[in-house]
Amino acid sequence: MLLLVGVALVGPTESRGAFLSSTDCPDVETNALPTTLSGLRLALLFPSCRPGDKPLRAAQDRWLARDKAKHVVFSGLWTLSTQYVLVSKADWSEPDALPASIASGAAVGIAKELYDASRPTETASGKDLVADAVGIGLAVGVIML
């Protein structure tokens, strides 16, 4: 599910990357904030094009960074704790609780990126969504043991 949402937001891979390492941007209004899905897509594809931001180069959003580790750990712990609450406290069966746990972890990660895209001093990151998916996948592995 998270992969489908990520593909819908980010789009095909051949449309990315050309602007990530330069300061060129597509035409956008200078005061426009990404408040729609297309605005979020623009913020994810061209993070340096946000009004008032300094250009964000691809090297600043590294795959191996403390921020990505935080995303992996938080989304994994969120998924595990949701599973625990649903199974132990709400008396759901494990197979019924797993999709809800996965969905809640994905929703929190997407909400965080939407929040980042709406802030003038922050940028949304597709790499953060991938880190969230890794954390959720690790949690599912632990749950399935």
Side-chain angles (χ1 to χ4, degrees), residues 29-46:
E29 296 178 31
T30 56
N31 294 327
L33 288 176
T35 57
T36 63
L37 183 58
S38 61
L40 175 62
R41 184 173 182 190
L42 180 68
L44 289 173
L45 291 176
F46 310 108

Side-chain angles (χ1 to χ4, degrees), residues 72-97:
V72 170
V73 170
F74 182 83
S75 63
L77 290 177
W78 182 279
T79 304
L80 287 171
S81 61
T82 304
Q83 180 77 6
Y84 170 77
V85 168
L86 292 176
V87 171
S88 298
K89 305 298 181 186
D91 293 327
W92 287 30
S93 68
E94 282 197 30
D96 290 340

Side-chain angles (χ1 to χ4, degrees), residues 8-145:
L9 291 177
V10 177
T13 56
E14 60 269 12
S15 68
R16 286 183 276 161
F19 294 96
L20 289 178
S21 62
S22 74
T23 57
D24 296 332
C25 298
D27 276 340
V28 294
E29 296 178 31
T30 56
N31 294 327
L33 288 176
T35 57
T36 63
L37 183 58
S38 61
L40 175 62
R41 184 173 182 190
L42 180 68
L44 289 173
L45 291 176
F46 310 108
S48 64
C49 298
R50 305 249 340 261
D53 282 352
K54 293 182 178 175
L56 176 67
R57 305 221 183 256
Q60 291 175 329
D61 189 26
R62 294 174 294 146
W63 280 106
L64 297 175
R66 181 176 290 180
D67 176 59
K68 302 307 177 270
K70 288 178 182 178
H71 278 270
V72 170
V73 170
F74 182 83
S75 63
L77 290 177
W78 182 279
T79 304
L80 287 171
S81 61
T82 304
Q83 180 77 6
Y84 170 77
V85 168
L86 292 176
V87 171
S88 298
K89 305 298 181 186
D91 293 327
W92 287 30
S93 68
E94 282 197 30
D96 290 340
L98 188 58
S101 300
I102 293 169
S104 71
V108 168
I110 291 169
K112 164 69 166 77
E113 294 310 308
L114 287 171
Y115 175 76
D116 285 349
S118 71
R119 310 253 317 147
T121 59
E122 305 265 342
T123 56
S125 170
K127 292 178 183 178
D128 288 349
L129 290 174
V130 172
D132 291 334
V134 168
I136 292 168
L138 291 172
V140 169
V142 169
I143 292 167
M144 299 300 282
L145 288 177

